Amino acid sequence: NAIETNKFLRFTRDDELYPLYVIALNTGCRRGELAALKWHQILFDGNLLEISATRDRFGRKETTKNGKNRFIGMNSIVSMTLLNLFKKRTSDDYVFVHADDSTLRVNHLYRYFKKAQIDTGLENIITFHNLRDTYASHYMMNGGNIYELQKILGHSSISMTQIYAHLSPKHLL
């Protein structure tokens, strides 16, 4: 729900993971892909993110879910958010870390996300995966191509992408 998502983002501006939420919503990246993102994978000159690894509770894997690397274009929000993080970074390793520079525990991200929503007072709790779903829907409602969306999301089949690419009833009207 766009209203709930916008409310969540407004109220979490001071949350240390706010940049992660913004990037997720504006790229469609999976939680583990963002947790694995390192500074050398951000190509500011080309306005691209290189997605080539993932992290889960067992650690970093040098492959994506479907085994294929991909590049995702950065919109101005993503670019500005990452540039601000880049200026504040204290390490050349992971992009998203805690305020004390400790590595994010990927399997705890959903807890942080849910707690931030409860603190925000959202009536309908959303999952981190809903950010990916919202990205896909907005991409399509803004004239995106289903085949391009498939590449951006890293799906191996178009049928999987179609699940994500639903349009809002308001848009259909």
Side-chain angles (χ1 to χ4, degrees), residues 1-145:
N1 177 322
I3 294 170
E4 295 287 296
T5 303
N6 287 333
K7 181 179 178 183
F8 171 73
L9 289 175
R10 265 194 326 277
F11 285 97
T12 57
R13 284 205 181 272
D14 295 329
D15 188 301
E16 69 177 356
L17 295 178
Y18 175 78
L20 180 90
Y21 306 146
V22 169
I23 303 300
L25 187 60
N26 283 276
T27 63
C29 285
R30 295 176 179 95
R31 178 183 62 186
E33 292 168 344
L34 291 174
L37 192 62
K38 293 190 173 189
W39 285 112
H40 73 271
Q41 295 172 278
I42 298 173
L43 311 171
F44 286 109
D45 290 343
N47 235 14
L48 294 170
L49 298 179
E50 178 187 4
I51 307 300
S52 60
T54 191
R55 282 182 51 219
D56 61 18
R57 62 187 172 135
F58 302 111
R60 182 179 172 89
K61 296 177 182 162
E62 297 300 328
T63 184
T64 61
K65 186 175 178 181
N66 73 356
K68 297 178 183 175
N69 294 357
R70 66 187 194 280
F71 290 90
I72 298 174
M74 294 190 286
N75 66 21
S76 59
I77 294 169
V78 171
S79 184
M80 186 173 54
T81 301
L82 290 173
L83 196 54
N84 287 336
L85 280 178
F86 184 76
K87 291 175 184 175
K88 298 175 190 174
R89 81 188 190 292
T90 56
S91 137
D92 286 330
D93 208 18
Y94 290 110
V95 173
F96 300 106
V97 294
H98 288 292
D100 65 0
D101 270 348
S102 62
T103 304
L104 290 177
R105 296 192 56 192
V106 181
N107 54 323
H108 290 185
L109 277 177
Y110 75 93
R111 291 180 195 164
Y112 305 137
F113 187 61
K114 185 174 182 179
K115 182 183 180 320
Q117 290 179 70
I118 290 168
D119 292 347
T120 299
L122 290 184
E123 295 175 20
N124 300 312
I125 299 296
I126 58 176
T127 65
F128 197 89
H129 197 77
N130 288 136
L131 299 177
R132 182 171 164 83
D133 188 45
T134 299
Y135 170 83
S137 294
H138 286 194
Y139 183 86
M140 293 304 295
M141 288 187 288
N142 285 308
N145 175 304

